[in-house]
Amino acid sequence: MTLGTEPTSNGGFRTGRFMYFAEGDRWEWSDELARIHGYESAAAVSLSTELLLRHKHPDDRARVADLIHRVRFGREPFSGKHRIVDVNGAIVQVIVVADTMTDGDAVIGTSGYYISLDEPPLIGDVDEIFDRRMLIEQAKGVIRFIYQLDDQRAFDLLVWRSQETNTKIRDLASALCDAFSTVTPSSETRARFDHLLLTAHEACGPDD
């Protein structure tokens, strides 16, 4: 089983694929993931858990080591947010989105994507991307998720708080999104969402 090549960027961020096989403690990287770590290609690096941990930021290393232990012996997916240090010493923030790999009913490892957060967006300026409407839509999404409301009910709730507090709806939406970003989901919630993110396409019909 091998990993295909990845595009150099995806929606403004570099991404790279990986697979981890618990039996044998074995990793595989795509070329793009190797480049995120500062290598020319995956063939240029001898992968091991020890090497992987050496690339983690010192403040994140113990936490990632504990996660890898749970991945190997508890068969959890390898996912989360941390910092890596590439071969040139540059610090790169990454999100790892992963799901378990199975062989029949047995979990044999985990696979997914590293997403570099330190790349500039491809389209326009950040202020243009996160404009007034986008902030309101993000806030509505938070309310819909937490309270299990439909789109209109979520907007009504946001308008109610705007009127009750005499706060512009855009400012309220911005404050809500900023505050929500500090809420850390449980590992169970994160694992379930990783699975949904990586399998949602299976519920979509073929392109017209």
Side-chain angles (χ1 to χ4, degrees):
M1 188 181 298
T2 58
L3 296 174
T5 58
E6 294 294 318
T8 56
S9 62
N10 187 1
F13 304 105
R14 287 189 298 167
T15 63
R17 293 186 62 192
F18 76 92
M19 292 192 297
Y20 173 72
F21 298 86
E23 186 70 27
D25 190 27
R26 181 165 60 88
W27 297 87
E28 292 185 10
W29 283 359
S30 69
D31 287 338
E32 179 54 27
L33 182 51
R35 285 191 283 270
I36 289 174
H37 285 78
Y39 299 98
E40 291 185 2
S41 68
V45 55
S46 179
L47 289 173
S48 67
T49 295
E50 181 182 0
L51 176 74
L52 196 80
L53 289 174
R54 285 206 304 268
H55 275 292
K56 304 309 175 188
H57 189 280
D59 292 341
D60 297 339
R61 191 171 294 143
R63 176 167 54 85
V64 176
D66 178 67
L67 174 58
I68 292 175
H69 180 83
R70 299 200 310 271
V71 168
R72 186 176 187 188
F73 298 103
R75 298 302 196 258
E76 295 184 18
F78 180 62
S79 61
K81 181 179 179 181
H82 62 268
R83 292 161 291 180
I84 65 174
V85 181
D86 72 13
V87 294
N88 299 310
I91 298 174
V92 182
Q93 293 190 70
V94 296
I95 289 177
V96 183
V97 179
D99 201 357
T100 53
M101 294 193 303
T102 59
D103 183 5
D105 293 331
V107 176
I108 62 172
T110 181
S111 66
Y113 299 84
Y114 276 62
I115 304 169
S116 167
L117 301 180
D118 291 337
E119 303 304 312
L122 293 177
I123 306 173
D125 186 79
V126 171
D127 290 337
E128 296 176 5
I129 298 173
F130 296 100
D131 59 7
R132 177 176 179 273
R133 190 63 192 172
M134 182 63 74
L135 282 170
I136 294 173
E137 291 299 322
Q138 287 178 338
K140 282 166 55 181
V142 169
I143 294 170
R144 289 184 62 182
F145 173 72
I146 295 298
Y147 297 113
Q148 298 294 289
L149 300 175
D150 63 26
D151 189 77
Q152 185 58 52
R153 289 290 189 180
F155 184 68
D156 290 344
L157 188 59
L158 190 62
V159 170
W160 167 66
R161 290 306 299 157
S162 172
Q163 294 173 343
E164 283 287 310
T165 60
N166 195 29
T167 305
K168 291 181 179 179
I169 193 167
R170 180 192 182 281
D171 294 340
L172 181 62
S174 178
L176 180 62
C177 290
D178 286 345
F180 189 73
S181 69
T182 67
V183 178
T184 303
S186 67
S187 58
E188 179 183 359
T189 299
R190 177 60 183 268
R192 290 183 64 186
F193 187 79
D194 282 354
H195 175 77
L196 291 173
L197 180 61
L198 295 176
T199 60
H201 66 281
E202 296 174 2
C204 300
D207 293 337
D208 293 333

